[in-house]
Amino acid sequence: MSNTFGKIYKISTYGESHGKAIGVIIDGCPSGIEVNEKDIQKELDRRKPGQSKITTQRKEDDNIEILSGIFNGKTTGSPISLIIKNKDQKSSDYNHISTSFRPSHADFTYHKKYKNRDHRGGGRSSARETANWVAAGAISKKILHDLKIKIHAYVSKVGKLELNKTYNELDFDNTENNIVRCPDNKFAEKFISIIDDARKNRDTVGGVITCVIKGCPIGIGEPIFRKLHAELGMAMLSINAVKGFEYGSGFKGVEMFGSEHNDEFQIKSGKISTKSNNSGGIQGGISNGEDIYFNVAFKPVSTIMKDQDSIDSNNKNTIIKGKGRHDPCVVPRAVPIVESMASNVLVDLYLQSKK
Amino acid sequence: MSNTFGKIYKISTYGESHGKAIGVIIDGCPSGIEVNEKDIQKELDRRKPGQSKITTQRKEDDNIEILSGIFNGKTTGSPISLIIKNKDQKSSDYNHISTSFRPSHADFTYHKKYKNRDHRGGGRSSARETANWVAAGAISKKILHDLKIKIHAYVSKVGKLELNKTYNELDFDNTENNIVRCPDNKFAEKFISIIDDARKNRDTVGGVITCVIKGCPIGIGEPIFRKLHAELGMAMLSINAVKGFEYGSGFKGVEMFGSEHNDEFQIKSGKISTKSNNSGGIQGGISNGEDIYFNVAFKPVSTIMKDQDSIDSNNKNTIIKGKGRHDPCVVPRAVPIVESMASNVLVDLYLQSKK
Amino acid sequence: MSNTFGKIYKISTYGESHGKAIGVIIDGCPSGIEVNEKDIQKELDRRKPGQSKITTQRKEDDNIEILSGIFNGKTTGSPISLIIKNKDQKSSDYNHISTSFRPSHADFTYHKKYKNRDHRGGGRSSARETANWVAAGAISKKILHDLKIKIHAYVSKVGKLELNKTYNELDFDNTENNIVRCPDNKFAEKFISIIDDARKNRDTVGGVITCVIKGCPIGIGEPIFRKLHAELGMAMLSINAVKGFEYGSGFKGVEMFGSEHNDEFQIKSGKISTKSNNSGGIQGGISNGEDIYFNVAFKPVSTIMKDQDSIDSNNKNTIIKGKGRHDPCVVPRAVPIVESMASNVLVDLYLQSKK
Amino acid sequence: MSNTFGKIYKISTYGESHGKAIGVIIDGCPSGIEVNEKDIQKELDRRKPGQSKITTQRKEDDNIEILSGIFNGKTTGSPISLIIKNKDQKSSDYNHISTSFRPSHADFTYHKKYKNRDHRGGGRSSARETANWVAAGAISKKILHDLKIKIHAYVSKVGKLELNKTYNELDFDNTENNIVRCPDNKFAEKFISIIDDARKNRDTVGGVITCVIKGCPIGIGEPIFRKLHAELGMAMLSINAVKGFEYGSGFKGVEMFGSEHNDEFQIKSGKISTKSNNSGGIQGGISNGEDIYFNVAFKPVSTIMKDQDSIDSNNKNTIIKGKGRHDPCVVPRAVPIVESMASNVLVDLYLQSKK
């Protein structure tokens, strides 16, 4: 397996959904960064289950504990170990999948690849893992904060309904004011209603998260194989349920002519900038000082409360019954995950650019 | 910079567009693989400039030479060094950009990041680099061939026109029969005409490449941070001009309900398979034995034959004039690049899975 | 910092001497290996403080706890997280070094490099870290066990006294029968007495550990930059207090002529072997099937119970007083550390060779 | 295989002794460093064969050519590709080892590990590879030059004769004034005579190289797994024929008591320094500002002009006859190799410390 992300700001994670604990080691964090458990807890609380009617009703407090790497309230340059002990587990909810495979889950592929599979709560394949990423992101965000770089993610589409405003027309301060995390209140209400309808129908629905990075200095990203957008893409595609990534003009940019798409340069307020920003703030893999923005597509959650055809480990037909407490739509809780992974990528590439 | 791709089947590249040569070292290729220069040349010829009226008229033969790692016609396990000497260079075509920045190119960001920039032909940022990737891909394809894994890429969209068939309805043997590399002849003609119109209009246009991988065994891909689709996404987003990546149901999957999207399991011809394949052959980051398929979005080429506003390195306004010989659309020549990078990813993860 | 060792069997560690806990994540361990806490505890007990009169009198039970990666008594392929909570800490013993630097310790260099230094018990620089390596080694030893590879380390020199037998003349079963871990009882007694004298004299003394690996198959090690002996050397030189590494004929081999030193090949019992083994079982960086053997030099422990001249963080002269409970000689407790790191290296290179 | 060295200043090499060329890509070199072919050639000339009566009489000019990464005389931050074409090859000299194995060479282990082995001149296992390391070292030395760090290696022992002076008593300016590269003329003469006697006797002899690094700033090296001395050790143990590495007090330090060995701190000329330097300039893996020094043990060259018993690939007894043109002792030509690898390590860790 590969459980380490990043080259310089490296996060190494462990833990299964129903094991004793999950956790992350952050190696490569510079010394002297102020970090405390509250900073991290705040971000984890945005991701935690049970926070509203449109998320899973499972209750996990996800209390973070710092085991190493902080002294006198600041990082020491030593690895920072963060641990979240597991608590509200109903492993018996999962007995039915110990020998059979939930459709569109990782049960089957894990079984084939590793033979000895911890099926409880999905084991290692559970999205619970992303709590580790958010915890690491809470620390990388502190570094970005000192660099005046801000990351804003929000829900821009649920099911077939798409927010009809660009990020420039939105007030990001409003994102946390509703349970779906869309800064436009009207769309937020509609999104909530779509999700709630899916839930009532024992079904799930997909969505898109848009992420905007403001204040990124020129020069972040490596030009050939660690292009800023390629690293962001890889990070986003690592998140459970993600099916696509596009930045700047994205898939729509395909339809344009070069003369429309190109971002001409100008001098504005004494600084070089571009007149348009189809490049999404990245040229040749390197940040150019404009806003960075990208979209992440999430499929509908695979666990539904309906019967589904499946196969068991003896190659026999079986029916998978919907059980347990699950999210009808992943995007509201995925907003802090997207932000955190973007933050982890940025800090990693920022530190690389300092060599 | 980061000029190495892969962890086990590792490719390390070098070279500028108008330098003495470009080249690639492949480290980690197993011994005993039959490789000769013809195999590699064949793939390079699919990517080379000047192959048709809808590609750049620049003539580069891109002759590959093997410098090491092959003995008695087979790999030895030692690093394979491949070199392509540069020939048809008109560096004077680029004098105008030695101190000014082409819109939506990497000139500006390289200048800011590295100060000392080889501007000739775009230097290191030129898509000429991808010839190295194709050369490495020709060798990884040999490994896949022995494993009976096949990769088929083709052009599925140009500008606003999208091929209205799924990959199952296409005959991949037909892809190389037209200059745009679309296996559907009718659409091929239309795509060619759109590109040719853009060219005549001194403009450029974008496109989408679809890639299908057949015969991939179950178990390729790592479940947390080297998910098969995340690695494919990163590889594709590393290709010049790429703006987006989606696999399986992709961005359209967002609009579905879980009950529609889930791929139920079945036994068919004695083997476990899925009834649908919205997962795109990958579950939890690991191949499940079904076809893998994904889309890659390419923006319109940034070099257009029209005047554009820009800035020079003294922060003065300037006009960039369109010069040189360039592609009106990148997708026909990018088909072998997409295939090669998919092949490089697959072999790398295949070898990792063997540990 | 770099707190990860290995490329495929990767161990990532954290923890300070007087922090909440130390721990290690093992990523890349194959699935299906039987592992339980007792196996690991047994190895840790060989390293733990307070085990005899010639080790520190500090009492640390070093209880291992498995947090992840094991299911039904076997590894799952997922990262294995091991934690050892810290207990018997007298941090006040270290107040005197919060602003001054112990000679030949890492206090000064950490202070200069990281500014914010956890001085308690040496913080991250404490040899307590090596408990993590031994824990990881207990698991890699299980893998070697299945491959019938055996590692035997023992003390072969203390101060000026050197064991006058080669490893072939020793019975490794006897190593654990005395507190200094030398399989020759006579020398063991003498070594113990040298160490005890140093202790009584409030001083410390150095030593050499010899390590022998039997049963290593042909082909382990990479020929250019991950030569088996280079990896072993790096691993040993990572252990606190190590000043030198030699394998096979080592520094004495320098004095020989090629005609004496070369290991001629022969057929013996139907198998290719070498008549002599100055190569130490490694040729061109790759194991050749003969016994692997090497020596590791440990300096005298830097913490002595005597006054020493030093400087504080205000650049003022100061006297460092010997305090706390420390080892008069590191080698008895370092025997399992040497074995564990040898084991971690071997498994890592073994897994690499399987690609 | 693993043909890449370093994490940030990364060198990736290729090439066989009798192939078309050998070469190295340097990735991660900062932009703006002045580099030309003469700088590199000068270092290669120190390593090249045929330079005196005590080296091989093989003539290889080892002409370096820069293929990429330099523009207007300075590095651009892009990978620097260096190539040395092979010329004076008498591959027929090696026909006898195409199916049999030279004692203490890598023929046997390569054969077993890779099956398809390029036997000509030792193929990939030839010390010719180290020309790549010296070429990369010539560039890293330029970086160290700007940092005022100087590396001085010299021969300190040949066969049983050891130079009886410490490095402080030597004038390094004298090292290049004799063909054995020992700064003490009297010992140089004796060393030359020992080597020449071995040569006349169709035999070979071992030696030790001592290396001193002056001017290294405080803070280079990572404290746990990339300790400065562990990286130096790994680098040295990667050089062909190396059997041991020790730094500071080394193996002799074992015999000392802590009270003798510890390096007490003092203020001297307003700066913190240590009264003694048994630490060899490194404490806890990090440079402390004192001189760094270490010894590297080289075995006698394995190729001797005498008959030796061996085995062929059909497991039959055979006699290996001494043929070709070889070094009677490796140390004179290894001096620039030791310096170069030390330089490559230092620059890599220096760049890492800048994050």
Side-chain angles (χ1 to χ4, degrees):
Chain A
M1 270 199 208
S2 287
N3 297 279
T4 295
F5 184 86
K7 306 248 171 178
I8 295 178
Y9 186 86
K10 286 196 296 184
I11 69 175
S12 297
T13 66
Y14 64 87
E16 288 85 36
S17 185
H18 289 205
K20 284 197 180 175
I22 63 167
V24 55
I25 303 177
I26 301 153
D27 194 5
C29 184
S31 61
I33 310 292
E34 284 188 31
V35 172
N36 60 50
E37 284 167 354
K38 266 185 213 159
D39 296 324
I40 305 170
Q41 195 61 53
K42 201 181 120 195
E43 288 294 323
L44 282 173
D45 287 349
R46 296 174 69 206
R47 197 212 75 99
K48 78 172 175 188
Q51 56 184 278
S52 79
K53 68 174 180 177
I54 58 167
T55 67
T56 168
Q57 295 310 300
R58 212 165 54 243
K59 291 281 178 202
E60 286 168 300
D61 274 346
D62 286 352
N63 289 322
I64 196 76
E65 195 180 341
I66 298 174
L67 297 179
S68 70
I70 312 288
F71 185 65
N72 289 337
K74 289 186 182 173
T75 58
T76 60
S78 293
I80 302 163
S81 175
L82 306 175
I83 190 169
I84 301 168
K85 284 168 192 150
N86 288 330
K87 285 176 188 165
D88 180 28
Q89 303 157 334
K90 296 194 182 168
S91 297
S92 56
D93 273 359
Y94 292 88
N95 287 348
H96 65 304
I97 60 156
S98 67
T99 56
S100 58
F101 312 122
R102 291 167 296 170
S104 291
H105 270 281
D107 301 339
F108 174 69
T109 51
Y110 269 65
H111 173 77
K112 287 288 183 181
K113 190 175 177 86
Y114 300 109
K115 274 77 186 177
N116 186 34
R117 172 171 65 98
D118 183 350
H119 66 279
R120 301 166 304 163
R124 182 74 185 138
S125 75
S126 165
R128 182 150 181 69
E129 159 74 3
T130 57
N132 287 323
W133 310 357
V134 169
I139 297 179
S140 60
K141 278 186 176 183
K142 300 279 284 186
I143 298 173
L144 294 186
H145 178 81
D146 294 349
L147 297 167
K148 305 205 153 73
I149 302 173
K150 285 195 178 164
I151 301 180
H152 311 274
Y154 60 92
V155 173
S156 58
K157 185 172 181 178
V158 171
K160 292 191 166 88
L161 185 70
E162 191 169 352
L163 176 58
N164 61 0
K165 292 177 180 171
T166 67
Y167 73 83
N168 284 308
E169 304 167 77
L170 299 169
D171 176 6
F172 297 139
D173 287 346
N174 203 32
T175 303
E176 293 296 310
N177 290 343
N178 57 64
I179 58 176
V180 79
R181 295 199 167 87
C182 170
D184 182 282
N185 284 334
K186 263 200 206 153
F187 272 86
E189 273 175 48
K190 291 179 192 168
F191 289 161
I192 292 167
S193 144
I194 295 170
I195 296 172
D196 210 36
D197 285 353
R199 183 184 66 79
K200 286 174 188 154
N201 200 23
R202 304 176 70 80
D203 213 333
T204 61
V205 67
V208 170
I209 291 176
T210 298
C211 185
V212 183
I213 303 168
K214 286 176 163 285
C216 183
I218 301 171
I220 306 304
E222 300 298 306
I224 304 296
F225 283 128
R226 303 196 73 211
K227 287 185 168 81
L228 177 45
H229 56 269
E231 292 287 304
L232 287 169
M234 178 181 61
M236 297 307 139
L237 288 158
S238 301
I239 300 172
N240 305 47
V242 170
K243 303 294 290 186
F245 170 85
E246 60 180 1
Y247 79 104
S249 61
F251 276 88
K252 278 173 200 148
V254 163
E255 304 188 354
M256 296 165 82
F257 291 109
S259 54
E260 299 169 272
H261 191 278
N262 280 359
D263 298 322
E264 291 182 301
F265 287 103
Q266 63 183 357
I267 301 275
K268 207 174 165 178
S269 337
K271 272 180 53 189
I272 293 182
S273 64
T274 58
K275 294 182 190 176
S276 53
N277 186 15
N278 289 309
S279 298
I282 304 170
Q283 284 167 339
I286 303 167
S287 62
N288 69 353
E290 305 294 316
D291 292 343
I292 296 164
Y293 62 98
F294 57 85
N295 292 321
V296 188
F298 290 80
K299 70 173 184 180
V301 173
S302 302
T303 305
I304 56 177
M305 294 300 108
K306 300 183 175 192
D307 288 2
Q308 295 178 92
D309 287 347
S310 188
I311 302 292
D312 66 20
S313 52
N314 297 317
N315 282 13
K316 301 275 183 214
N317 290 303
T318 183
I319 300 288
I320 292 280
K321 295 207 166 287
K323 271 193 196 176
R325 301 155 293 171
H326 301 277
D327 290 280
C329 180
V330 80
V331 289
R333 287 177 58 207
V335 164
I337 304 171
V338 166
E339 286 180 5
S340 292
M341 287 307 279
S343 177
N344 292 334
V345 164
L346 270 182
V347 164
D348 191 35
L349 289 172
Y350 165 73
L351 291 172
Q352 177 157 341
S353 74
K354 284 185 66 185
K355 294 165 326 188
Chain B
M1 268 199 210
S2 286
N3 296 278
T4 295
F5 184 87
K7 307 247 172 181
I8 295 178
Y9 186 85
K10 284 196 296 183
I11 69 173
S12 298
T13 66
Y14 65 86
E16 288 85 35
S17 185
H18 288 206
K20 285 196 179 177
I22 63 167
V24 54
I25 302 177
I26 301 152
D27 194 6
C29 184
S31 62
I33 310 292
E34 285 187 31
V35 172
N36 60 49
E37 284 166 355
K38 266 185 214 160
D39 296 326
I40 305 170
Q41 194 62 54
K42 200 179 120 196
E43 288 294 323
L44 281 175
D45 288 348
R46 295 175 69 207
R47 196 213 74 100
K48 78 172 174 189
Q51 57 183 276
S52 79
K53 67 173 180 177
I54 57 166
T55 67
T56 169
Q57 294 311 301
R58 212 164 55 241
K59 291 281 177 202
E60 286 168 300
D61 274 346
D62 286 353
N63 289 322
I64 196 76
E65 196 181 340
I66 299 175
L67 296 179
S68 71
I70 312 290
F71 186 66
N72 288 337
K74 289 185 183 174
T75 59
T76 60
S78 293
I80 302 163
S81 175
L82 305 175
I83 189 170
I84 301 169
K85 284 168 191 151
N86 288 330
K87 284 175 190 166
D88 180 28
Q89 302 156 336
K90 298 194 182 167
S91 296
S92 56
D93 273 1
Y94 293 88
N95 287 348
H96 65 303
I97 61 155
S98 67
T99 55
S100 58
F101 312 122
R102 290 169 296 171
S104 290
H105 269 281
D107 302 338
F108 174 69
T109 50
Y110 268 65
H111 173 77
K112 286 289 184 182
K113 192 174 175 86
Y114 299 111
K115 274 74 184 179
N116 185 34
R117 170 172 67 98
D118 183 350
H119 65 280
R120 300 166 305 162
R124 182 75 184 138
S125 75
S126 165
R128 182 149 181 68
E129 159 74 3
T130 56
N132 288 324
W133 309 358
V134 170
I139 297 179
S140 61
K141 277 185 174 182
K142 302 279 285 186
I143 299 172
L144 294 187
H145 178 81
D146 294 349
L147 297 167
K148 304 203 154 75
I149 302 173
K150 285 195 180 162
I151 301 180
H152 310 274
Y154 60 92
V155 173
S156 59
K157 184 172 182 178
V158 172
K160 294 192 164 88
L161 184 71
E162 191 169 352
L163 176 59
N164 61 359
K165 294 177 178 169
T166 67
Y167 74 85
N168 284 309
E169 303 168 77
L170 299 169
D171 176 6
F172 297 139
D173 288 345
N174 203 32
T175 303
E176 293 296 310
N177 290 342
N178 55 64
I179 57 175
V180 78
R181 295 198 166 88
C182 170
D184 183 281
N185 285 333
K186 260 200 211 154
F187 271 86
E189 273 175 48
K190 290 180 194 168
F191 288 162
I192 292 168
S193 144
I194 295 170
I195 297 173
D196 211 34
D197 286 352
R199 184 184 64 79
K200 286 175 188 155
N201 201 22
R202 305 178 69 81
D203 213 333
T204 61
V205 67
V208 170
I209 291 175
T210 298
C211 185
V212 182
I213 302 168
K214 285 178 163 285
C216 184
I218 302 171
I220 308 302
E222 300 300 306
I224 305 297
F225 283 128
R226 303 197 73 210
K227 288 184 167 81
L228 177 45
H229 56 269
E231 292 286 306
L232 287 170
M234 178 182 59
M236 297 308 140
L237 289 158
S238 300
I239 301 173
N240 305 48
V242 170
K243 304 293 290 187
F245 169 87
E246 60 180 1
Y247 80 104
S249 61
F251 274 89
K252 278 173 200 147
V254 163
E255 302 187 355
M256 297 165 81
F257 292 107
S259 54
E260 301 168 90
H261 191 277
N262 280 358
D263 298 322
E264 289 181 303
F265 288 103
Q266 63 183 356
I267 301 275
K268 208 175 166 178
S269 337
K271 271 179 52 187
I272 294 183
S273 64
T274 59
K275 296 182 189 176
S276 52
N277 187 14
N278 289 309
S279 298
I282 304 170
Q283 283 167 339
I286 303 167
S287 62
N288 68 352
E290 305 294 318
D291 293 341
I292 296 164
Y293 62 98
F294 57 85
N295 293 322
V296 188
F298 290 80
K299 70 172 184 180
V301 173
S302 302
T303 305
I304 55 177
M305 294 299 108
K306 301 185 176 191
D307 288 3
Q308 294 178 92
D309 288 347
S310 188
I311 301 293
D312 66 20
S313 52
N314 296 316
N315 281 13
K316 300 276 181 212
N317 289 304
T318 183
I319 300 289
I320 292 281
K321 295 210 166 284
K323 271 193 198 175
R325 298 155 296 171
H326 301 278
D327 289 281
C329 181
V330 81
V331 288
R333 288 176 59 207
V335 165
I337 305 171
V338 165
E339 286 181 6
S340 292
M341 287 307 280
S343 177
N344 293 334
V345 164
L346 271 182
V347 165
D348 191 37
L349 289 172
Y350 165 74
L351 291 173
Q352 176 157 344
S353 75
K354 285 186 67 186
K355 292 166 327 187
Chain C
M1 267 199 210
S2 287
N3 297 280
T4 295
F5 184 86
K7 306 247 172 181
I8 295 177
Y9 186 86
K10 284 196 296 182
I11 68 174
S12 297
T13 66
Y14 65 86
E16 288 86 35
S17 185
H18 289 206
K20 283 196 180 176
I22 64 168
V24 54
I25 302 177
I26 301 153
D27 193 6
C29 185
S31 61
I33 310 291
E34 285 188 30
V35 172
N36 60 49
E37 284 167 355
K38 266 185 212 160
D39 295 325
I40 304 170
Q41 194 62 53
K42 200 180 120 196
E43 288 293 324
L44 281 174
D45 287 350
R46 295 175 69 207
R47 198 213 73 101
K48 78 173 175 187
Q51 57 183 276
S52 79
K53 68 173 180 179
I54 57 167
T55 67
T56 169
Q57 295 311 298
R58 211 165 54 241
K59 291 280 178 205
E60 285 168 299
D61 275 344
D62 286 351
N63 289 322
I64 196 75
E65 195 181 342
I66 299 174
L67 297 179
S68 70
I70 313 289
F71 184 66
N72 288 338
K74 289 186 182 173
T75 58
T76 60
S78 293
I80 302 162
S81 174
L82 306 175
I83 189 170
I84 301 169
K85 285 169 190 149
N86 288 329
K87 285 176 187 165
D88 180 27
Q89 303 156 334
K90 297 194 181 168
S91 295
S92 57
D93 273 0
Y94 292 87
N95 287 347
H96 64 305
I97 61 155
S98 67
T99 54
S100 58
F101 312 122
R102 290 168 298 170
S104 291
H105 269 280
D107 302 338
F108 173 69
T109 51
Y110 269 65
H111 172 78
K112 287 288 183 181
K113 192 175 176 83
Y114 299 110
K115 273 75 183 180
N116 186 32
R117 171 171 66 98
D118 183 350
H119 66 278
R120 301 166 303 162
R124 182 76 184 136
S125 75
S126 165
R128 182 149 181 69
E129 159 74 3
T130 57
N132 287 324
W133 310 356
V134 169
I139 297 179
S140 59
K141 277 185 175 183
K142 301 279 285 186
I143 298 173
L144 294 187
H145 178 82
D146 294 349
L147 298 167
K148 304 204 155 74
I149 302 173
K150 284 195 179 163
I151 300 180
H152 310 274
Y154 60 92
V155 173
S156 59
K157 185 172 181 178
V158 172
K160 294 191 164 89
L161 185 70
E162 191 169 354
L163 176 59
N164 61 1
K165 292 177 180 169
T166 67
Y167 74 84
N168 285 308
E169 304 168 78
L170 299 169
D171 176 6
F172 298 139
D173 287 346
N174 204 32
T175 304
E176 293 295 311
N177 290 343
N178 56 64
I179 57 176
V180 78
R181 294 198 166 87
C182 170
D184 183 281
N185 284 333
K186 260 199 208 153
F187 271 87
E189 273 176 47
K190 290 180 194 169
F191 288 161
I192 293 167
S193 143
I194 294 169
I195 296 172
D196 211 36
D197 286 354
R199 183 184 65 78
K200 286 175 188 154
N201 201 22
R202 306 177 68 79
D203 213 333
T204 61
V205 67
V208 169
I209 291 175
T210 297
C211 184
V212 182
I213 302 168
K214 286 176 164 286
C216 183
I218 302 171
I220 307 303
E222 300 299 306
I224 305 295
F225 283 129
R226 302 196 74 209
K227 287 186 167 80
L228 176 45
H229 56 268
E231 292 287 304
L232 286 170
M234 179 182 60
M236 297 307 140
L237 289 158
S238 301
I239 301 172
N240 305 47
V242 171
K243 303 293 290 188
F245 170 86
E246 59 179 2
Y247 81 104
S249 61
F251 275 89
K252 278 172 199 147
V254 164
E255 304 188 355
M256 296 166 81
F257 291 108
S259 54
E260 300 169 272
H261 191 276
N262 280 359
D263 298 323
E264 291 181 302
F265 288 102
Q266 63 183 356
I267 302 276
K268 209 174 165 177
S269 337
K271 270 180 52 188
I272 293 182
S273 65
T274 58
K275 295 182 189 176
S276 52
N277 186 14
N278 289 309
S279 299
I282 304 170
Q283 284 167 339
I286 303 166
S287 62
N288 68 353
E290 305 294 318
D291 293 342
I292 295 164
Y293 62 98
F294 58 85
N295 293 321
V296 188
F298 290 80
K299 71 172 183 179
V301 173
S302 302
T303 305
I304 56 177
M305 296 298 109
K306 299 183 176 192
D307 288 2
Q308 295 177 93
D309 288 347
S310 190
I311 302 292
D312 66 20
S313 53
N314 297 316
N315 282 14
K316 300 276 182 212
N317 289 303
T318 183
I319 300 289
I320 292 281
K321 295 209 167 286
K323 271 194 196 174
R325 298 154 297 170
H326 301 278
D327 290 281
C329 181
V330 80
V331 288
R333 289 176 58 207
V335 163
I337 304 170
V338 165
E339 287 180 7
S340 292
M341 286 308 279
S343 177
N344 293 334
V345 164
L346 271 182
V347 165
D348 191 36
L349 289 172
Y350 165 73
L351 291 172
Q352 176 157 344
S353 75
K354 285 185 67 187
K355 293 167 327 188
Chain D
M1 269 199 208
S2 286
N3 297 278
T4 295
F5 184 86
K7 307 247 171 178
I8 295 179
Y9 186 86
K10 285 197 295 183
I11 69 175
S12 297
T13 66
Y14 65 87
E16 289 86 35
S17 184
H18 289 206
K20 284 197 181 176
I22 63 167
V24 54
I25 302 177
I26 302 152
D27 193 6
C29 184
S31 62
I33 310 292
E34 285 188 29
V35 172
N36 59 50
E37 285 167 354
K38 265 185 215 161
D39 295 326
I40 305 169
Q41 195 62 53
K42 201 179 119 195
E43 288 294 323
L44 282 174
D45 288 349
R46 296 174 69 204
R47 196 212 75 100
K48 78 172 174 187
Q51 57 183 275
S52 79
K53 67 173 180 179
I54 57 168
T55 67
T56 170
Q57 294 310 299
R58 211 165 56 242
K59 292 279 176 204
E60 286 169 299
D61 275 345
D62 286 353
N63 289 322
I64 196 76
E65 197 181 339
I66 299 173
L67 296 179
S68 71
I70 313 289
F71 186 65
N72 288 338
K74 289 186 183 173
T75 58
T76 60
S78 293
I80 302 164
S81 175
L82 305 175
I83 190 170
I84 302 169
K85 285 169 190 151
N86 288 329
K87 285 175 190 166
D88 181 28
Q89 303 156 335
K90 298 193 182 169
S91 296
S92 57
D93 274 1
Y94 291 89
N95 287 348
H96 65 303
I97 61 155
S98 67
T99 55
S100 59
F101 313 122
R102 290 168 298 170
S104 291
H105 270 281
D107 302 339
F108 173 70
T109 50
Y110 269 65
H111 173 78
K112 287 288 185 182
K113 191 174 177 86
Y114 299 110
K115 275 73 184 180
N116 186 35
R117 171 172 65 98
D118 183 352
H119 65 279
R120 301 166 304 162
R124 182 76 185 137
S125 74
S126 165
R128 181 149 183 69
E129 159 74 2
T130 57
N132 287 324
W133 309 357
V134 170
I139 297 179
S140 61
K141 276 185 176 183
K142 301 278 285 186
I143 299 173
L144 294 187
H145 178 81
D146 295 348
L147 297 167
K148 304 203 154 75
I149 302 174
K150 285 193 179 163
I151 301 181
H152 310 274
Y154 59 93
V155 172
S156 59
K157 185 173 181 177
V158 172
K160 293 191 164 89
L161 184 70
E162 190 169 353
L163 176 58
N164 61 0
K165 293 176 179 170
T166 67
Y167 74 84
N168 283 309
E169 304 166 78
L170 299 169
D171 176 6
F172 297 139
D173 287 344
N174 203 33
T175 303
E176 293 296 311
N177 290 342
N178 56 64
I179 57 177
V180 79
R181 294 198 167 87
C182 170
D184 182 283
N185 284 334
K186 261 199 209 155
F187 271 87
E189 275 175 45
K190 290 179 194 169
F191 288 161
I192 292 167
S193 144
I194 294 170
I195 296 172
D196 210 36
D197 286 353
R199 183 183 64 79
K200 287 174 188 155
N201 201 22
R202 304 178 68 80
D203 214 333
T204 59
V205 67
V208 170
I209 290 175
T210 298
C211 185
V212 182
I213 302 168
K214 286 178 163 283
C216 184
I218 302 170
I220 308 302
E222 299 300 306
I224 304 298
F225 283 129
R226 302 198 73 210
K227 287 184 168 83
L228 177 46
H229 56 269
E231 292 287 304
L232 287 169
M234 178 182 60
M236 297 306 140
L237 289 158
S238 300
I239 301 173
N240 305 47
V242 170
K243 303 294 289 186
F245 170 86
E246 60 180 0
Y247 80 104
S249 61
F251 275 88
K252 278 174 200 145
V254 163
E255 303 187 355
M256 295 165 82
F257 291 107
S259 54
E260 300 168 90
H261 192 275
N262 281 359
D263 299 321
E264 290 181 303
F265 287 103
Q266 62 183 356
I267 301 275
K268 208 174 166 178
S269 334
K271 273 181 50 189
I272 293 183
S273 64
T274 59
K275 295 181 190 176
S276 51
N277 186 15
N278 289 308
S279 299
I282 304 170
Q283 284 167 338
I286 303 167
S287 62
N288 69 353
E290 305 294 317
D291 293 341
I292 295 165
Y293 62 99
F294 57 84
N295 292 321
V296 188
F298 290 81
K299 71 172 183 179
V301 172
S302 301
T303 305
I304 56 177
M305 294 300 107
K306 301 183 175 191
D307 288 3
Q308 295 178 92
D309 289 347
S310 188
I311 302 292
D312 65 20
S313 52
N314 297 317
N315 281 13
K316 300 278 182 211
N317 289 303
T318 183
I319 300 289
I320 292 279
K321 294 210 167 284
K323 271 193 197 174
R325 298 156 295 173
H326 300 279
D327 289 281
C329 181
V330 81
V331 288
R333 288 177 58 206
V335 164
I337 304 170
V338 165
E339 287 181 5
S340 293
M341 287 307 280
S343 177
N344 292 334
V345 163
L346 270 182
V347 164
D348 191 37
L349 289 172
Y350 165 74
L351 291 172
Q352 176 156 344
S353 74
K354 284 184 69 186
K355 294 166 326 187

